[in-house]
Amino acid sequence: ARAQLRVAIDDLLLPGEQLAIAGLEVRLGDGLLEADLGVDPEGEGQLRGAASLPVDLRLDQPGASALRGPLSGRVEAAGLPLDLARPLVGRDLTKLRGALAADLAIAGPAAAPEVRGTFALTGGGGRLRALKVDVEEVEVRGEIAPEALRLVAASARSGRGRLEVEGEVGLADLVPTVYDLRLQARRWPAIRTKRYEAQIGADLQLVGPNEEPELTGSVTVETAYLEPGLAFLDSSAGPS
């Protein structure tokens, strides 16, 4: 007789998080391990995943590998709040907003599967706390394949400034190996405080292997504003 196992969890709220598991089901039987996962952030967005992996669990050979075939899976996300990434970015980037979407297929050996698909960020934004700069209208569209991650279009706005990035990052087992990226900026606020303000223009390229990429191009200060305090004026006058 063949043993079969099924474990299902519904409507589980993760403590201290903004996520709820709408459904998790794991099935083991007929030489196949399958899993389906649904995650719903509180109030908006969704994340769905499914995977299957051929296995052979033998009690008479406990040391033998249980894996008997390639992994196959799919991950789909729609309207996933960017704010969920807050624990990953620390305190330097605050007021995160935006919606993530992805459609990814996963296939290949379980130890090194290949990922293919598309991803996007719409309506993104946040605040660079140290520079006191608000970033708005962040839009990203990209593709991922086993050999590279491609930025089809990536842009952001801050005040009257605009920033655009395009290019690709070469991959090997999902690890960056080589860069070919270009960044262009106009009237981009480098810093904005009560006394200091500067806007820059930039045309930069990052090209080369991961071990030693080369950054080339130009950065210009387009406008700058400085308001020294009264103490600075008093000290520059010298002794009377």
Side-chain angles (χ1 to χ4, degrees), residues 27 34-37 48-52 71-76 106:
R27 301 177 299 276
E34 299 175 292
D36 295 289
L37 172 66
R48 296 288 182 267
S52 64
L71 172 69
S72 175
R74 192 172 198 91
V75 176
E76 297 175 297
I106 304 170

Side-chain angles (χ1 to χ4, degrees), residues 164-201:
E164 296 180 346
V165 181
E166 63 179 7
E168 67 178 48
V169 178
L171 301 175
D173 296 330
L174 297 178
V175 177
T177 58
V178 63
Y179 299 93
D180 185 5
L181 298 170
R182 182 176 182 182
L183 179 148
Q184 292 181 303
R186 297 293 179 267
R187 296 179 178 175
W188 189 260
I191 188 170
R192 182 182 293 155
T193 67
K194 290 182 178 180
R195 292 185 176 181
Y196 310 101
E197 184 174 328
Q199 297 178 343
I200 64 171

Side-chain angles (χ1 to χ4, degrees), residues 10-170:
D10 295 314
D11 299 326
L12 174 64
L13 179 64
L14 301 180
E17 300 292 339
Q18 296 175 289
L19 294 176
I21 294 179
L24 171 62
E25 182 174 336
V26 179
R27 301 177 299 276
L28 175 60
D30 297 326
L32 194 64
L33 176 64
E34 299 175 292
D36 295 289
L37 172 66
V39 177
D40 290 322
E42 291 184 354
E44 55 183 325
Q46 64 179 11
L47 174 66
R48 296 288 182 267
S52 64
L53 178 66
V55 296
D56 185 8
L57 299 178
R58 300 176 59 103
L59 297 179
D60 58 339
Q61 297 180 11
S65 173
L67 305 182
R68 288 295 180 267
L71 172 69
S72 175
R74 192 172 198 91
V75 176
E76 297 175 297
L80 205 61
L82 183 61
D83 186 58
L84 295 175
R86 184 174 44 191
L88 303 177
V89 299
R91 298 182 178 180
D92 295 330
L93 184 58
T94 61
K95 299 182 180 180
L96 284 178
R97 58 190 178 278
L100 292 166
D103 186 357
L104 305 173
I106 304 170
E114 295 183 344
V115 180
R116 298 177 184 271
T118 61
F119 58 91
L121 169 64
T122 57
R127 182 175 179 82
L128 300 174
R129 194 175 67 163
L131 302 177
K132 301 186 183 300
V133 171
D134 292 310
V135 181
E136 303 172 340
E137 298 181 11
V138 179
E139 306 285 333
V140 178
R141 289 189 298 113
E143 303 171 346
I144 186 169
E147 68 278 3
L149 183 149
R150 298 181 180 88
L151 288 177
V152 178
S155 62
R157 185 181 66 82
S158 182
R160 299 174 61 191
R162 184 172 177 81
L163 180 147
E164 296 180 346
V165 181
E166 63 179 7
E168 67 178 48
V169 178

